[in-house]
Amino acid sequence: MSKKKKKWIYPRHQVVRNLLYLVMYPYCRLKFGVKIERMKDQQNRPYLILLNHQMVFDQFFVGMAFKGHIYYVATEDIFSLGWVSSVIRYLLAPIPIKKQTTDVHAVRTCYKVAKEGGTIAIAPEGNRTYSGKTEYMNPAIASLAKTLNLPIAFFRIEGGYGIQPRWCDKARRGKMRGYFSRVIMPEEYKEWSNDELYQVIQKELYVNEAKVTTNYYHRKNAEYLERLLYVCPHCGLSIFESHGDKVACKTCNREYQYLATKELKGVGFDSQFRFVNDWYEYQKDFVNKLDINEYIDQPMYSEQASFSEVIVYKNKKMIRENAVVELYGDRVLIDDNVFPFAEITAASVLGRNKLNIYYDKKVYQLKGNKRFNAIKYVHMYYRYKNVNKGEGNEQFLGL
């Protein structure tokens, strides 16, 4: 007798969704000032919802705009929290995916959910934006969408970066909006090539917050910008520190003020960057021109962080709370553990500033203090990969 296949979708998911809606709708409205526009003419059918990723609460905004339960594709980090993850799986059944890797199991699960009549939500960027601009999307999203053969609903979030940039902890007072901009049916896109569909996905989800729209108020507007910045236009590779509405390079001591308009202002000098995105693009360009061979014998950075092994879909095992971490042009050294870039299969930033390293079929995680900058490790890893693949002019740095 064949074993009955376990279902993914259960009635309790909808019950939990309805209870969460009663709590999260007023909370999000009050906390973030978000205006949610519900999907019109939703009909009783499943969708593939694609959204741009600006805030940690994005999934709640989508859920507030859509009537039924949504099965969100989520990174393995939330599935590695022991009993907490078990509760999340039981109540909401998100679809796990290994970040920055090709996860065939995640694709199969999406197909299973779609076959059972479930609506799936994916942020194709795979990362919340650090700069306020919709970033790189893996072209494989188009192939997955065509495989699922569901109506594709595009959910746009605008103003989320102004309310709470990924690099900060505190939400600002301001306005933001979440709404479905377009729905395309399978009959419409079935004749499109994957590239044509990919171009539509990019266009529909592109949002650039590097512009003055409305004001976003908080007395500590610049706090923790050093989670993003590590290249000074005057000093090159450097270390930054923020306090209140200002962030300063610790090498040349130049200060920049982050204004309520999201603009940057040099303190006592003219800043060459008007928005954080301008600085972020400069930083990536700097790395894409960097000679990493100059940092083989001496580290670019040396700092401390907690060092754990992530037992994927189970829990995390602490290896050392205060490990010494050194970043070189071709490797990361964590205490006596060497992680050569040539042998690392992927590196990714989780949350605001945690770093995952995928090495030797295992996942390791670094979590520093509040000022820890994880992006530089990902950027240098991809710079090394590009150079050693003979693609020194490749611009993609992993985010």
Side-chain angles (χ1 to χ4, degrees):
M1 186 175 179
S2 61
K3 187 177 179 181
K4 186 177 179 180
K5 290 185 178 180
K6 188 177 179 181
K7 294 195 306 178
W8 194 271
I9 298 175
Y10 289 92
R12 65 174 177 267
H13 302 153
Q14 181 63 40
V15 174
V16 174
R17 179 266 172 200
N18 292 341
L19 292 174
L20 279 174
Y21 179 87
L22 293 175
V23 175
M24 296 308 299
Y25 185 83
Y27 175 81
C28 290
R29 289 278 293 157
L30 291 171
K31 177 74 173 177
F32 304 115
V34 60
K35 178 182 178 183
I36 299 295
E37 300 174 21
R38 297 186 181 183
M39 176 182 272
K40 299 177 181 178
D41 192 26
Q42 182 175 316
Q43 302 181 10
N44 186 25
R45 62 179 304 168
Y47 292 81
L48 171 62
I49 299 174
L50 301 181
L51 62 143
N52 61 308
H53 204 1
Q54 293 192 341
M55 297 175 63
V56 72
F57 279 83
D58 288 349
Q59 69 271 21
F60 294 110
F61 303 149
V62 178
M64 290 157 60
F66 190 86
K67 289 180 182 178
H69 182 67
I70 301 169
Y71 295 88
Y72 298 91
V73 174
T75 58
E76 74 272 15
D77 203 48
I78 71 164
F79 297 93
S80 306
L81 302 174
W83 67 269
V84 175
S85 297
S86 297
V87 172
I88 293 173
R89 282 194 293 266
Y90 179 79
L91 295 179
L92 299 170
I95 300 168
I97 187 171
K98 293 179 181 178
K99 200 169 187 179
Q100 298 295 88
T101 62
T102 301
D103 193 337
V104 176
H105 181 72
V107 173
R108 289 174 179 167
T109 304
C110 286
Y111 188 73
K112 176 182 177 68
V113 173
K115 281 294 185 181
E116 291 183 22
T119 288
I120 300 165
I122 302 175
E125 292 166 272
N127 277 286
R128 301 204 311 273
T129 175
Y130 270 100
S131 66
K133 180 179 66 179
T134 302
E135 295 291 352
Y136 172 83
M137 302 178 192
N138 191 324
I141 187 62
S143 176
L144 174 61
K146 296 194 79 171
T147 299
L148 297 179
N149 197 39
L150 295 172
I152 304 173
F154 297 98
F155 189 79
R156 289 173 61 89
I157 299 170
E158 299 171 354
Y161 181 82
I163 294 289
Q164 192 170 21
R166 184 177 180 180
W167 43 263
C168 80
D169 286 348
K170 304 294 184 181
R172 292 91 162 93
R173 288 183 292 110
K175 295 180 180 180
M176 63 176 295
R177 179 188 180 203
Y179 64 101
F180 286 99
S181 63
R182 182 181 178 185
V183 175
I184 52 177
M185 306 303 288
E187 307 85 68
E188 185 178 353
Y189 65 77
K190 69 177 182 180
E191 300 299 330
W192 298 354
S193 67
N194 285 349
D195 185 61
E196 287 172 325
L197 179 55
Y198 179 62
Q199 296 299 323
V200 171
I201 292 170
Q202 286 184 306
K203 178 183 177 182
E204 290 297 324
L205 297 183
Y206 182 77
V207 175
N208 189 350
E209 300 283 334
K211 57 185 177 182
V212 177
T213 50
T214 186
N215 287 346
Y216 298 91
Y217 298 100
H218 196 281
R219 60 188 179 85
K220 296 182 178 180
N221 261 356
E223 194 165 72
Y224 303 129
L225 246 173
E226 59 267 44
R227 293 171 176 169
L228 171 65
L229 305 177
Y230 63 90
V231 174
C232 174
H234 305 281
C235 311
L237 296 178
S238 188
I239 297 173
F240 292 81
E241 188 168 316
S242 63
H243 295 282
D245 65 350
K246 297 181 180 67
V247 62
C249 170
K250 296 186 73 174
T251 304
C252 66
N253 296 317
R254 284 181 172 85
E255 280 191 319
Y256 298 79
Q257 185 179 16
Y258 186 88
L259 306 176
T261 57
K262 299 176 293 185
E263 293 174 288
L264 292 169
K265 178 183 177 183
V267 179
F269 67 99
D270 293 330
S271 170
Q272 70 186 80
F273 309 119
R274 186 181 177 193
F275 295 97
V276 169
N277 181 65
D278 300 329
W279 199 332
Y280 185 56
E281 291 299 327
Y282 172 89
Q283 184 166 272
K284 290 194 295 183
D285 186 58
F286 179 93
V287 173
N288 279 319
K289 296 175 181 176
L290 188 67
D291 184 359
I292 54 176
N293 291 318
E294 293 182 3
Y295 298 94
I296 302 301
D297 298 322
Q298 60 177 356
M300 301 175 184
Y301 293 93
S302 181
E303 55 197 326
Q304 287 189 324
S306 68
F307 179 41
S308 305
E309 181 184 350
V310 179
I311 313 301
V312 181
Y313 308 140
K314 291 185 179 181
N315 53 34
K316 297 176 186 176
K317 182 175 69 176
M318 179 66 70
I319 298 174
R320 187 169 179 184
E321 287 193 10
N322 293 299
V324 176
V325 184
E326 294 181 321
L327 173 61
Y328 290 82
D330 65 344
R331 66 195 184 279
V332 176
L333 186 64
I334 306 174
D335 285 343
D336 297 326
N337 303 283
V338 182
F339 295 88
F341 286 161
E343 298 175 23
I344 293 174
T345 56
S348 63
V349 182
L350 287 88
R352 296 180 179 92
N353 64 336
K354 290 183 289 187
L355 176 72
N356 269 17
I357 297 173
Y358 299 77
Y359 173 76
D360 193 25
K361 298 183 179 180
K362 294 183 179 181
V363 183
Y364 297 95
Q365 187 172 102
L366 291 174
K367 184 178 180 181
N369 62 26
K370 283 183 171 289
R371 303 187 188 280
F372 182 69
N373 182 303
I375 289 180
K376 62 181 181 286
Y377 292 89
V378 176
H379 282 179
M380 295 306 170
Y381 165 72
Y382 276 90
R383 173 60 177 162
Y384 172 89
K385 285 289 195 181
N386 292 339
V387 170
N388 282 271
K389 286 190 300 184
E391 300 173 356
N393 293 323
E394 171 63 46
Q395 300 296 301
F396 179 60
L397 293 174
L399 288 169

